Amino acid sequence: MEPRARHARRTFPWWAIALVALPWSWFAARDAGGIAGPIAIVLPVAGFAALIVAGIAFGFRQWIAGAMATSVFLVCLVATVEPRLPLRTEAPSPAITVVADNVLATSRHPDKSAATMASREADVMVAVEMSESFIEYMQSTGRYPYSANQGAQGVWSRWPVASLPLPPGLPSDRIARFTIDAGGQSVVVYGVHLLNPLHETTISEQQSMVRRLSDAIAAETDPVILAGDLNMSDRAAGYRLLADQMHDAMRTGWWAASTYRHGVWRDLSLRIDHLFVPADWCAVDAKTFGVPGSDHRGIESTVGPCPA
């Protein structure tokens, strides 16, 4: 028994245990900036690759290598799944149903996009990257009595809505600010379409923009709804910054689904379209839906103050 125990200790030395545990340091380092941002984007693919490596390693009885690959797979799995898990609340009262989507300015079917968005019969609709054709088609539906837009970002509402000036430091071509009189309650709505960090900006610059946006929201005196295409994965540091401040209204079901599944991006499991509400608000019935002509899935949730 003693020689066999010594052999087991030689097979799994302390340094091997340390290597197996090392991938879990991701959760301490993921907000450090630098390469952590790109790594966060590719975690689903990295996890799948690690699972294959683990299977091969165990097949060849390479136990340490297999254990290390398994550890990487589990880290990727946890990091991908955790921000999708439900944060269930009571049904809000009063309730406001909100839909939002990037309707794609170059869409070949702005009429179908407008018809689909209007057919959701939400109380408030937020559209970003709108074309003039989309706006015209929305107006022709007659679904909403009130609307306002700032450039390519707009809000359509069954309650009176008006544009508001943006706080300093926020780009007017990417962020719009509105106020809605929702049954006597003033609500500020931010319609957001942030730059894409893969070709329009960098992840660090996007993080800086999200921080300024977060500061602006914190300074508001009325409740804030933040909706739109943030071009930011729910694995990103910017997402956690907003989620620590607000309530992710899309996490009401059993799973918060990806919203950008176009082409090769499907494998990266990207949830980049978001709907945030005040931390003390409730949300139910979140779902995504297809929008003709758009490469994003629309998002929808019923939100509002939690019942007393």
Side-chain angles (χ1 to χ4, degrees):
M1 294 296 294
E2 186 177 347
R4 186 175 299 173
R6 285 199 299 268
H7 176 71
R9 285 195 293 272
R10 288 195 299 271
T11 304
F12 296 97
W14 66 267
W15 56 265
I17 297 175
L19 285 177
V20 171
L22 182 62
W24 294 90
S25 65
W26 165 254
F27 295 101
R30 61 184 179 176
D31 291 338
I35 197 168
I39 290 175
I41 294 175
V42 301
L43 282 178
V45 174
F48 181 72
L51 185 61
I52 294 175
V53 170
I56 295 173
F58 285 133
F60 283 95
R61 298 180 181 273
Q62 299 297 312
W63 310 119
I64 295 177
M68 290 174 58
T70 300
S71 182
V72 171
F73 163 72
L74 291 174
V75 168
C76 294
L77 180 65
V78 171
T80 301
V81 168
E82 187 277 329
R84 308 294 183 95
L85 296 178
L87 296 172
R88 293 193 177 96
T89 68
E90 297 179 81
S93 179
I96 304 170
T97 301
V98 181
V99 299
D101 190 45
N102 179 331
V103 295
L104 195 63
T106 58
S107 170
R108 292 181 296 175
H109 306 289
D111 54 336
K112 294 180 180 179
S113 299
T116 298
M117 294 292 285
S119 71
R120 307 302 296 187
E121 298 187 346
D123 298 314
V124 176
M125 189 193 94
V126 180
V128 302
E129 200 179 325
M130 298 186 300
S131 65
E132 289 296 329
S133 295
F134 178 87
I135 296 174
E136 292 172 2
Y137 282 118
M138 274 302 304
Q139 291 171 339
S140 71
T141 67
R143 172 64 183 83
Y144 291 100
Y146 304 101
S147 65
N149 69 283
Q150 297 178 15
Q153 281 61 257
V155 167
W156 308 79
S157 172
R158 72 180 183 92
W159 297 296
V161 56
S163 295
L164 292 175
L166 274 178
L170 298 182
S172 59
D173 62 331
R174 288 288 173 165
I175 300 175
R177 180 171 171 254
F178 308 91
T179 182
I180 292 176
D181 180 7
Q185 166 70 69
S186 293
V187 178
V188 174
V189 177
Y190 280 77
V192 180
H193 181 206
L194 296 185
L195 295 172
N196 190 319
L198 296 182
H199 63 89
E200 296 176 312
T201 186
T202 66
I203 291 176
S204 61
E205 289 172 347
Q206 183 189 73
Q207 173 75 359
S208 177
M209 175 59 64
V210 171
R211 192 174 294 110
R212 294 198 295 274
L213 178 59
S214 173
D215 291 343
I217 292 171
E220 297 283 358
T221 56
D222 289 327
V224 174
I225 294 174
L226 168 65
D229 172 13
L230 274 64
N231 270 312
M232 180 178 66
S233 165
D234 57 10
R235 298 183 294 273
Y239 168 82
R240 288 185 290 278
L241 177 64
L242 291 173
D244 287 344
Q245 176 186 8
M246 306 181 76
H247 177 51
D248 183 348
M250 294 306 296
R251 293 177 64 178
T252 71
W254 68 274
W255 178 253
S258 299
T259 62
Y260 194 71
R261 305 190 300 180
H262 182 68
V264 299
W265 304 108
R266 180 187 300 269
D267 295 335
L268 294 181
S269 189
L270 294 172
R271 185 164 74 100
I272 62 176
D273 301 87
H274 299 281
L275 174 58
F276 288 99
V277 296
D280 58 353
W281 274 26
C282 288
V284 294
D285 299 332
K287 56 182 71 73
T288 66
F289 57 94
V291 178
S294 174
D295 53 355
H296 292 248
R297 289 186 65 77
I299 58 177
E300 177 178 340
S301 187
T302 300
V303 305
C306 295

